[in-house]
Amino acid sequence: ALSAIRSFDPIPQDSELAGEAIKSEDPKVVLAGVRLMEKLNPAGLQPYLTRLLQNNDLSVRLKAVRMALKSDAGKAIEILGAMLKADDAPVRAQAVTCLMICPFDQVFEMLMESLLCETNPDIAQKTLLILKSNPGAKVLSALDKIKGTRDPAVSVLVAAARAELFELILKFGY
């Protein structure tokens, strides 16, 4: 129904319907609500941003990040930064996944700080993937400064990433 409304000529009152859809548990309904709200009242999505960024569905989270990066990149990155500090590992993992599509220069320091505190090797591996995907002296230098993390397994991953990055830089001269 929301897609049908969006395809015709929606009226401003339809943004209330879109807002209710965004609160749904069904990711398809949420995305339809987001698309309708984008068409009717893009600023109306702002109150839902945190909710969308924390949604369990990856497509919803990524859509939220893309929207936020267009309208208020600083706010989106701030919310993701707060999510990186959550006690709940799945929330931190969601944040890292979303940070993959953010401008690297804007999230670099945040990623480095989170790596020092991370206790989940899977999340650390995702963080290191972002760092290794942006090779250069800056990243290598930052990894060299890490002498230890809160978890020994994460420290091992950091050391391995540092070695891989060093080899990449030697081989390709980043």
Side-chain angles (χ1 to χ4, degrees), residues 52-127:
L52 293 169
L53 288 170
Q54 294 177 340
N55 191 290
N56 289 329
D57 186 80
L58 179 60
S59 59
V60 172
R61 289 192 314 270
L62 292 176
K63 176 71 172 170
V65 171
R66 286 186 188 104
M67 289 178 339
L69 289 173
K70 282 189 229 173
S71 64
D72 189 352
K75 177 72 172 169
I77 292 170
E78 179 184 319
I79 291 168
L80 292 171
M83 289 171 66
L84 275 179
K85 296 175 182 170
D87 291 335
D88 191 22
V91 172
R92 294 193 312 274
Q94 289 174 349
V96 172
T97 300
C98 290
L99 286 168
M100 289 180 179
I101 65 170
C102 293
F104 182 71
D105 60 324
Q106 293 180 28
V107 299
F108 172 70
E109 295 296 330
M110 184 184 306
L111 291 168
M112 293 306 301
E113 289 173 22
S114 73
L115 199 53
L116 290 171
C117 301
E118 189 53 62
T119 57
N120 184 306
D122 292 332
I123 297 171
Q125 189 75 308
K126 280 183 177 182
T127 303

Side-chain angles (χ1 to χ4, degrees), residues 1-87:
L2 293 173
S3 295
I5 290 171
R6 185 173 179 262
S7 66
F8 294 107
D9 193 23
I11 58 174
Q13 292 82 356
D14 290 335
S15 63
E16 291 175 25
L17 181 62
E20 288 304 312
I22 290 170
K23 296 175 188 173
S24 172
E25 295 296 319
D26 182 340
K28 290 178 184 176
V29 174
V30 173
L31 287 171
V34 167
R35 285 190 293 271
L36 181 58
M37 185 73 82
E38 276 182 310
K39 187 172 184 174
L40 294 170
N41 178 16
L45 286 165
Q46 199 66 28
Y48 301 103
L49 189 57
T50 300
R51 176 189 199 98
L52 293 169
L53 288 170
Q54 294 177 340
N55 191 290
N56 289 329
D57 186 80
L58 179 60
S59 59
V60 172
R61 289 192 314 270
L62 292 176
K63 176 71 172 170
V65 171
R66 286 186 188 104
M67 289 178 339
L69 289 173
K70 282 189 229 173
S71 64
D72 189 352
K75 177 72 172 169
I77 292 170
E78 179 184 319
I79 291 168
L80 292 171
M83 289 171 66
L84 275 179
K85 296 175 182 170
D87 291 335

